[in-house]
């Protein structure tokens, strides 16, 4: 199959290179020339474990190329994936579909022969209908089928997730497109990944329902954690106690500083807006959004109370800035609100993140970015672990204590055992632990 990916970000690039690895011929297109220039030099525009190697292998084999030229890249394609961003629209929180629609128009103008246009971007129910309308308007003679194929990969484990998905969801109502999509995913199908064919609108909704449910699950355990702190219970034991129930499942039951990232915040918001527009409000999702928004600043206040309610003039070492480990993605990271709250209360912040500092600098100003965890910890009044990167799991606590003004550890990811930290003379504050 000749496949073109429009958009070479976290989803487009990973999907594109994995399709090439399956044996398809793939062109990854992006409007951002700096991304394509970097890719052509073998430099990855994002941090994703294992990505550079699989890109290099597939470029070498000749199956993967990069381009900024939509016109030439779509004209011979059998399948064109749209994998552009769908951020929250300023003002009302709906998904901003302008990039999707612009891509659809360009594809329609330049494709030749039967072409399957697949929306991989996360898009609200009914977007496929609008894409179809745009395509027909832009090129009434185009022979195009519009398909929905939402992506479920997680940053940090994206390649593994793409190659071994729990399921592949494909929404369509065109038999020719069904044949093409089956061919595109044949290598995975042979690996027994279930291909779930649905109507297009259903497929679009599956993606939002999945993200809404997961966001709700995280928010649920976060509220249980708050209750644990009030009643003297332990949230980690509660998580295990409920997670072993097969109907509930153990994943996404880690209490923490609230969900962030490029998907859950915007997708829950877009789902709530879609539901409101159809007079079928989703109050569980609306409440999830509001609890999570409040939680991020509450985590900043938690740090302040760990320092007896006053951080003015104090130095806080923030370890981890990205919304989760193994990515450089800072979009909607809880670190942003935590740091803002500390700054608002007069603290100074020194921060370290293994991969996210370049992106963080564009979003968080007025803090010191340092070269390693101990540079942040030097002379600090407290350490706050915001992201559970592996290298923060085994800090040399005696060394850290010797460098600090006061030995306080606020562990927003519960990666330490309270008793062990206390043994080293630290005041330890986890989430939902007492
Ligand atoms: N990041 C994730 O973990 C993830 C997971 C599942 C689904 N998604 C969804 O996938 C979509 C893409 O997300 P992402 O994180 O990869 O976004 P991203 O911002 O990393 O990448 C999007 C890319 O599209 C490019 N682009 C925009 N318009 C273009 C056009 N007309 N032609 C060519 N390139 C164009 C941009 O320059 C950018 O590089 C979103 O809808 C998102 O919700 C993301």
């Amino acid at each position: 199959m000749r496949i073109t990916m429009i958009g070479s970000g976290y989803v487009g690039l990973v999907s594109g290179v994995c399709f090439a690895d399956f044996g398809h011929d793939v062109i990854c297109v992006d409007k951002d020339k700096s991304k394509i220039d970097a890719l052509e030099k073998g430099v990855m525009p994002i941090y994703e474990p294992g990505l550079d190697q699989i890109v290099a292998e597939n470029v070498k084999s000749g199956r993967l190329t990069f381009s900024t030229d939509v016109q030439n890249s779509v004209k011979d394609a059998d399948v064109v994936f749209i994998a552009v961003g769908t951020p929250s629209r300023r003002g009302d929180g709906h998904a901003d579909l302008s990039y999707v629609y612009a891509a659809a128009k360009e594809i329609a103008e330049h494709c030749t022969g039967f072409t399957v246009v697949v929306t991989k971007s996360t898009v609200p129910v009914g977007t496929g209908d609008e894409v179809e309308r745009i395509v027909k308007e832009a090129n009434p003679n185009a022979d195009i089928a519009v398909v929905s194929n939402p992506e479920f990969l997680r940053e940090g484990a994206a390649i593994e997730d793409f190659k071994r998905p729990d399921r592949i969801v494909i929404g369509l109502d065109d038999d020719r497109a069904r044949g093409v999509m089956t061919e595109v995913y044949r290598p995975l199908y042979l690996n027994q990944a279930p291909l779930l064919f649905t109507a297009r609108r259903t497929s679009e909704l599956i993606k939002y329902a999945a993200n809404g449910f997961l966001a709700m699950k995280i928010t649920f355990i976060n509220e249980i954690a708050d209750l644990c702190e009030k009643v003297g219970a332990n949230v980690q034991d509660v998580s295990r106690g409920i997670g072993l129930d097969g109907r509930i499942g153990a994943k996404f039951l880690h209490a923490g500083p609230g969900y962030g990232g490029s998907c859950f915040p915007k997708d829950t918001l877009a789902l709530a807006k879609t539901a409101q527009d159809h007079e079928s409000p989703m109050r569980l999702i609306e409440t999830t959004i509001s609890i999570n928004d409040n939680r991020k600043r509450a985590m900043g206040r938690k740090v302040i109370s760990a320092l007896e309610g006053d951080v003015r003039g104090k130095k806080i070492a923030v370890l981890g800035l990205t919304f989760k480990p193994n990515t450089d993605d800072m979009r909607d990271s809880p670190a942003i609100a935590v740091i803002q709250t500390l700054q608002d209360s007069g603290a100074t912040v020194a921060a370290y993140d293994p991969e996210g500092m370049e992106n963080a600098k564009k979003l968080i100003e007025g803090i010191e970015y340092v070269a390693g965890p101990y540079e942040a910890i030097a002379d600090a009044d407290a350490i706050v672990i915001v992201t559970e990167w592996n290298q923060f799991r085994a800090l040399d606590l005696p060394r850290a204590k010797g460098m600090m003004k006061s030995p306080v550890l606020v562990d927003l990811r519960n990666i330490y055992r309270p008793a062990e930290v206390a043994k080293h003379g630290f005041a330890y504050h986890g989430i939902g632990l007492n």
Side-chain angles (χ1 to χ4, degrees):
M1 287 275 148
R2 283 163 303 182
I3 295 177
T4 299
M5 303 293 311
I6 306 292
S8 303
Y10 289 86
V11 166
L13 181 57
V14 170
S15 311
V17 69
C18 289
F19 282 137
D21 213 44
F22 296 164
H24 300 304
D25 287 323
V26 179
I27 309 176
C28 282
V29 181
D30 206 289
K31 287 267 182 224
D32 182 342
K33 190 172 176 305
S34 63
K35 267 189 195 179
I36 297 300
D37 287 348
L39 282 164
E40 281 179 335
K41 288 187 197 119
V43 177
M44 298 302 107
I46 54 169
Y47 174 75
E48 181 62 44
L51 185 63
D52 45 0
Q53 197 188 334
I54 185 173
V55 166
E57 284 163 12
N58 284 281
V59 168
K60 199 167 164 214
S61 74
R63 287 192 301 268
L64 178 66
T65 52
F66 306 104
S67 176
T68 53
D69 179 354
V70 176
Q71 179 170 349
N72 276 315
S73 303
V74 304
K75 73 176 168 32
D76 298 322
D78 302 305
V79 190
V80 183
F81 282 87
I82 300 177
V84 300
T86 49
S88 285
R89 193 162 68 186
R90 246 169 229 223
D92 66 2
H94 269 291
D96 178 352
L97 295 172
S98 54
Y99 304 100
V100 172
Y101 294 157
K105 185 164 179 284
E106 271 193 280
I107 297 165
E109 284 165 353
H110 303 298
C111 65
T112 56
F114 178 58
T115 312
V116 181
V117 176
V118 188
T119 311
K120 198 164 243 332
S121 300
T122 302
V123 294
V125 173
T127 302
D129 302 0
E130 183 59 14
V131 167
E132 202 164 80
R133 193 195 62 73
I134 289 170
V135 161
K136 287 206 177 111
E137 188 179 270
N139 183 355
N141 300 321
D143 187 11
I144 284 179
V146 177
V147 171
S148 158
N149 170 220
E151 182 50 57
F152 298 96
L153 62 78
R154 296 161 304 164
E155 286 174 22
I159 295 164
E160 179 66 15
D161 281 355
F162 194 88
K163 290 190 158 186
R164 274 176 258 286
D166 294 332
R167 78 303 203 187
I168 298 151
V169 175
I170 300 174
L172 45 71
D173 53 14
D174 180 301
D175 278 345
R176 285 184 302 167
R178 189 184 169 115
V180 170
M181 293 306 285
T182 306
E183 200 50 42
V184 166
Y185 280 109
R186 182 175 302 283
L188 287 185
Y189 186 62
L190 295 176
N191 281 348
Q192 310 259 308
L195 274 188
L196 177 65
F197 284 100
T198 69
R200 197 166 59 203
R201 284 180 166 242
T202 307
S203 161
E204 290 168 339
L205 188 54
I206 286 171
K207 175 65 191 178
Y208 282 97
N211 276 1
F213 191 85
L214 293 172
M216 212 168 58
K217 200 171 174 190
I218 294 172
T219 305
F220 176 82
I221 203 64
N222 284 341
E223 284 207 309
I224 291 284
D226 290 348
L227 183 59
C228 284
E229 289 180 16
K230 295 279 161 54
V231 301
N234 181 307
V235 74
Q236 287 175 309
D237 292 340
V238 175
S239 289
R240 193 162 154 70
I242 63 173
L244 285 169
D245 183 330
R247 294 168 302 176
I248 296 174
K251 292 183 178 162
F252 281 73
L253 283 181
H254 299 288
Y259 60 78
S262 65
C263 292
F264 288 176
K266 79 173 175 62
D267 293 348
T268 45
L269 205 53
L271 177 58
K273 294 290 168 191
T274 301
Q276 284 162 10
D277 282 356
H278 289 82
E279 286 173 18
S280 179
M282 295 200 60
R283 299 216 173 78
L284 285 170
I285 297 299
E286 290 171 10
T287 306
T288 296
I289 295 166
S290 119
I291 295 169
N292 194 66
D293 282 349
N294 290 328
R295 185 169 189 82
K296 295 180 186 173
R297 278 189 78 86
M299 293 298 112
R301 294 197 295 277
K302 186 180 177 76
V303 179
I304 297 169
S305 16
L307 286 166
E308 268 111 47
D310 183 15
V311 291
R312 187 157 298 282
K314 293 187 177 160
K315 177 184 168 184
I316 315 291
V318 170
L319 302 187
L321 293 167
T322 51
F323 80 98
K324 66 171 173 182
N326 295 325
T327 180
D328 59 351
D329 201 339
M330 279 296 299
R331 289 177 279 187
D332 274 315
S333 171
I336 300 168
V338 170
I339 291 174
Q340 189 74 63
T341 310
L342 294 171
Q343 287 179 315
D344 290 348
S345 300
T348 61
V349 172
Y352 170 70
D353 187 280
E355 296 292 339
M357 294 208 286
E358 283 315 304
N359 285 336
K361 283 174 190 168
K362 297 172 208 154
L363 295 170
I364 310 173
E365 289 178 352
I367 68 171
E368 196 190 347
Y369 291 94
V370 296
Y374 298 100
E375 283 86 338
I377 289 168
D379 295 324
D381 295 275
I383 301 171
V384 186
I385 296 174
V386 182
T387 318
E388 67 278 33
W389 286 91
N390 271 343
Q391 61 173 271
F392 304 147
R393 288 179 186 272
L395 291 173
D396 180 344
L397 292 176
R399 177 179 173 201
K401 186 178 175 221
M403 301 169 89
M404 295 179 72
K405 286 207 184 113
S406 61
V408 175
L409 176 58
V410 183
D411 177 4
L412 299 181
R413 299 290 182 171
N414 286 348
I415 58 177
Y416 280 90
R417 286 171 201 266
E420 265 173 41
V421 181
K423 217 165 59 191
H424 291 289
F426 274 82
Y428 178 82
H429 304 263
I431 301 279
L433 297 183
N434 48 58

